[in-house]
Every structure is written in C-alpha cells, then in structure tokens.
Amino acid sequence: MPAGLIRRLLGRTPDPIDEATWQQVAARVAWIAALEPARARRLRELATLFLQRKAITPIEPLELDPLRRATLAALCCLPLLEFGAEGLHGWTQLIVYPDAFRVNRSHVDAAGVLHEWDDELAGEAWDNGPLVLSWADVEADLDDPHAGFCVAVHEMAHKLDALDGVLDGTPPLPRDWQRQWARDFQQAYDGLVAEVDAGGEVAIDPYAAEAPEEFFAVCSEYHFSDPELLRACFPRVAAHLERFYGRSPSEGTACGA
Ligand SMILES: [Zn+2]
C-alpha cells in the first residue's frame, strides 16, 4: 500500500454517519428523502462536518442516540445546501431540550421602567453562542413536514443572518443581490406588519411580523415546508429564498399538489 494512501487512511476522521444511519435519517425526514441524489450527498457531507465541529448537548432526561444526532445535524444543514459550510462559522454548541423551554426576558423601556416576562420557546439562536432546540418541536416538524414549520431551519436562518455581524433579516450576499434582497424583504415585511396591525387574518405565521429578522427566519421555514404558500404571499421573497437555499424539497409534494 503506498505511504500516501496509508497516511490518508490513518489521518482521516471517521465518518460519524454510517450508511445505515443516513438511510434512517432520510426515511424520517421527508425534506431529505425528496432531495436529488447530488444534493442529498452534499447534505450528508455538511451534516458530517456539523457532527465533527459542533458539540451536541442534550438536557436531561433527553437522550440523543447516533440517529437523532445525525437527524439534527442534517436538519441544521438543510439551509446550507447552496451557502456551504461557511454557514457553520461563529458558534460551537447545539443544546437540545426535551420539550419547549422557558427563558426569562427583561427589557428597560424608554421611560426607564424594567419589564420582565417569561417566554416559552421551541428554539433560540444566541449571538456568537449556542443554537438551542426543543426535541419535541423538531419531531412535530418532522411529523407534519408541510405545515409551514421547521424550528431547526428557523434558528439556522438566524445564524446565517448574524454572519455579517448584524441581525437584520439579510444574510451576507453579493452586493447587488443584497440590495435587491433588502428592498424586496422590507416591502413584504412592511405589508405584513400593516395587515397584522389592521387586525386582519394573515396567511403565514404572524410571528413573522415581530421584526425583519423573524420575517426572514419564518419565511425560510415556509421555503422548506410550504413553498407554494410562500410564493402566493410574497413572490419576490420566495424567489430570493429559492436562489439562496436552492429548490425546495417540498416543491410539488405538499398535500393536494
Ligand atoms: Zn426567531
């Protein structure tokens, strides 16, 4: 055996996702089962990198076996299929709660009054810190993949958004594209906020009207889980996301389609 090959074999980090595990991930995750073979291979490579670079910490009593870890890695890497592994920069930990978790919030308003409240979350992405997910919510997304929700994609969208140092609903993009993106997203966001403020029923999760960065994260969930609804509501936003994330694996597979 040539020395170079021996060195390569010895020096190679073992693949943390074996073939049988990957097949089980694809069987569990409709979005992965629907990917073209080349994109599925790319996703597996990204998920492998994810498992090598990120510490995944379950909070008791949750336990994460290799299949669950590979599933989480693959879900978090779905938004990186076109963007690539640079999307993993800037953080090292994925914390997974068994269920939705409570966080204590506080805010000092313009009058100097401290407001404190509890939020119950399915996921959270800290600036330069961990990404946090609720396993029960991840499973609910997998059980109903065309309902418009994917908490892993939502939190990863925040991570991509934050890569340029500002959480504003615009990830790092080539300059011309970024300008068009900012204009089209702002217009769609303003329209949604006006509808919500007027008390009207909106077709997508009204949480998207909280802030421009939430609009981007929520629309990212729809790109993967209900692209037709996203296109019907915000055609320009849908087109940007298709360019950014690639063709949705739910395209043409939603109920009734
Ligand atoms: Zn969010």
Side-chain angles (χ1 to χ4, degrees):
M1 196 182 277
L5 180 57
I6 294 170
R7 259 200 315 275
R8 264 208 313 282
L9 288 174
L10 290 177
R12 222 179 126 218
T13 322
D15 188 344
I17 310 177
D18 59 47
E19 183 58 28
T21 304
W22 185 251
Q23 293 306 327
Q24 284 176 279
V25 172
R28 177 72 177 106
V29 185
W31 303 308
I32 297 174
L35 289 175
E36 306 87 328
R39 297 182 84 210
R41 272 197 301 279
R42 209 182 313 154
L43 184 69
R44 184 171 166 181
E45 286 166 16
L46 287 162
T48 298
L49 270 182
F50 187 100
L51 291 174
Q52 287 165 349
R53 293 187 190 171
K54 310 291 180 204
I56 304 181
T57 309
I59 303 295
E60 283 192 341
L62 179 68
E63 286 179 17
L64 294 173
D65 60 10
L67 174 59
R68 286 176 166 188
R69 286 171 185 270
T71 303
L72 286 163
L75 281 171
C76 288
C77 290
L78 267 179
L80 308 182
L81 275 169
E82 303 302 315
F83 193 87
E86 306 89 84
L88 295 173
H89 285 177
W91 56 286
T92 55
Q93 267 226 78
L94 168 62
I95 296 171
V96 190
Y97 282 86
D99 214 324
F101 49 97
R102 285 194 161 280
V103 291
N104 185 256
R105 304 280 196 205
S106 62
H107 165 72
V108 179
D109 69 18
V113 179
L114 175 70
H115 299 268
E116 279 190 283
W117 70 98
D118 279 345
D119 257 353
E120 199 171 74
L121 302 179
E124 193 176 34
W126 296 19
D127 293 352
N128 300 312
L131 190 138
V132 190
L133 293 173
S134 139
W135 177 254
D137 287 84
V138 168
E139 291 224 286
D141 295 340
L142 299 183
D143 289 342
D144 201 357
H146 303 301
F149 298 101
C150 181
V151 65
V153 162
H154 181 111
E155 302 309 332
M156 281 300 294
H158 286 321
K159 286 294 186 195
L160 291 170
D161 188 351
L163 281 175
D164 58 5
V166 206
L167 199 64
D168 59 355
T170 310
L173 299 169
R175 185 184 274 222
D176 280 354
W177 184 9
Q178 190 158 43
R179 210 174 295 137
Q180 290 168 8
W181 175 297
R183 187 193 58 212
D184 292 339
F185 270 73
Q186 188 68 48
Q187 207 170 54
Y189 172 71
D190 290 344
L192 179 71
V193 170
E195 266 183 79
V196 169
D197 286 351
E201 277 270 310
V202 290
I204 70 162
D205 182 354
Y207 186 66
E210 288 279 313
E213 60 269 26
E214 297 305 339
F215 181 72
F216 165 48
V218 169
C219 287
S220 297
E221 296 185 69
Y222 283 96
H223 169 80
F224 285 96
S225 67
D226 194 350
E228 287 170 24
L229 179 64
L230 183 65
R231 205 162 34 238
C233 295
F234 310 112
R236 287 202 180 129
V237 164
H240 283 297
L241 293 183
E242 179 149 347
R243 188 174 163 194
F244 188 64
Y245 292 130
R247 187 176 188 269
S248 169
S250 295
E251 206 65 75
T253 60
C255 305

